[in-house]
Amino acid sequence: MPLTVLITGASSGIGASAAHAFASRGYRVLLAARSADRLRQRAEGLNADHGEGTARALPLDVTDAEAHARAIADLPPEWAPDVAVLNAGLALRLVPVWENTVEDVDGMVDVNIKGVLNGIRAVVPGMLERGRGHVILLGSTAGHFVYPGGTVYCATKHAVGALALGLKQDLLGTPVRVSLVSPGLVETDFSLVRFGGDRERADAVYADTNALTPEDVAEAIAWVAEQPEHVNVQEVLVTPRVQAAGGAVLRGEDAEGL
Ligand code: NAP
């Protein structure tokens, strides 16, 4: 029977590419996010490409702990997740930390930290019962370094790094694996969300440089999941060649050929 992968944040960007990468490798994929229509379209596309029963849309808001737990608990047994890629996340605005509104802070903390904890609570007990599982969290270079205007987002990604380390400690002695995939600059809707839909400002983040594609990160996630059972990759930190993990991104002539 094929393994099932839950992917949160599967309606766009890294999550959508991860769904494609896993479906192409013969896994069943559960696509979770809030945008039900986008998820259904993606699931239909994957089912058309890889066979009926490959993908299933699972509309949910990761900040709603009860709904998240119920959505997983109500799945038929063959759809119980063997791998959970807890990827849903976002940044809101790029401003000095004292200018972040309560809504900014709640938005980032609720999705990036509490949403991940809701995911862990929803999937880990079932994995322990079934005697297998792999939890893969999406960190960031922002979980290693901090850049101006991104303090709250960076703090949430530092927290995700701590959650990955702590979960690994708590699961030691069980068959459940824990990994963290930490990308640098990836061209997705991430900046569009951060800048409240300002397309010009979002595009400028990826202009004149050579960012990672969501497919690059999806390949790293799939590689982590496909290691032999006795191997636990703790973290993959992956940046484009134009980026040093401290935050410096080359642009223009400096980025040519990289
Ligand atoms: P993206 O294209 O904006 O995708 C974010 C995904 O998260 C969307 O599918 C969104 O779907 C989902 N999401 C947001 N809030 C949610 C909620 N409350 N409940 C359920 N799903 C929610 O951005 P991305 O770049 O792929 O980001 C994916 C992950 O990678 C994030 O954790 C991000 O922090 C991390 N990351 C990104 C970069 C980068 O440069 N892009 C770098 C390092 C790390 P809905 O809106 O439909 O709910």
Side-chain angles (χ1 to χ4, degrees):
M1 199 160 72
L3 295 180
T4 298
V5 187
L6 165 72
I7 301 165
T8 68
S11 62
S12 79
I14 295 167
S17 292
H20 178 77
F22 279 107
S24 307
R25 287 166 167 80
Y27 291 74
R28 256 197 287 250
V29 288
L30 271 171
L31 312 181
R34 293 165 302 176
S35 315
D37 288 346
R38 288 171 83 183
L39 290 183
R40 288 198 185 100
Q41 276 170 15
R42 288 197 182 282
E44 278 168 24
L46 290 171
N47 285 330
D49 290 348
H50 302 286
E52 277 311 311
T54 296
R56 183 176 175 128
L58 196 67
L60 62 85
D61 184 332
V62 295
T63 67
D64 184 339
E66 216 184 296
H68 200 336
R70 206 174 37 244
I72 301 299
D74 287 350
L75 289 165
E78 68 273 22
W79 282 94
D82 302 294
V83 181
V85 182
L86 303 181
N87 157 80
L90 81 178
L92 296 172
R93 306 208 298 144
L94 192 66
V95 291
V97 64
W98 60 90
E99 290 182 17
N100 273 128
T101 61
V102 172
E103 289 76 23
D104 292 340
V105 175
D106 285 351
M108 290 184 269
V109 169
D110 285 354
V111 177
N112 299 357
I113 304 177
K114 293 185 188 173
V116 169
L117 286 164
N118 292 338
I120 290 170
R121 263 196 307 273
V123 300
V124 169
M127 290 176 173
L128 288 171
E129 264 175 43
R130 294 186 296 277
R132 66 165 185 274
H134 194 164
V135 180
I136 302 176
L137 305 187
L138 256 291
S140 172
T141 47
H144 291 269
F145 308 97
V146 178
Y147 54 84
T151 304
V152 178
Y153 174 69
C154 294
T156 65
K157 287 297 175 179
H158 276 70
V160 172
L163 292 179
L165 287 169
L167 185 60
K168 172 70 184 144
Q169 300 280 343
D170 291 345
L171 286 168
L172 191 63
T174 79
V176 180
R177 299 190 279 183
V178 181
S179 301
L180 178 68
V181 175
S182 300
L185 189 69
V186 193
E187 186 164 358
T188 64
D189 284 350
F190 180 83
S191 295
L192 196 63
V193 172
R194 162 170 264 170
F195 297 126
D198 183 338
R199 170 62 68 187
E200 208 176 319
R201 217 175 153 197
D203 285 349
V205 173
Y206 310 110
D208 261 351
T209 190
N210 195 7
L212 294 175
T213 65
E215 292 78 20
D216 295 328
V217 183
E219 286 300 313
I221 296 170
W223 176 80
V224 162
E226 296 226 295
Q227 293 307 302
E229 279 293 326
H230 69 287
V231 176
N232 188 111
V233 177
Q234 181 67 43
E235 180 171 11
V236 174
L237 180 63
V238 54
T239 68
R241 277 172 62 200
V242 296
Q243 182 179 28
V249 176
L250 299 179
R251 294 184 187 274
E253 277 178 20
D254 293 336
E256 270 172 29
L258 292 180

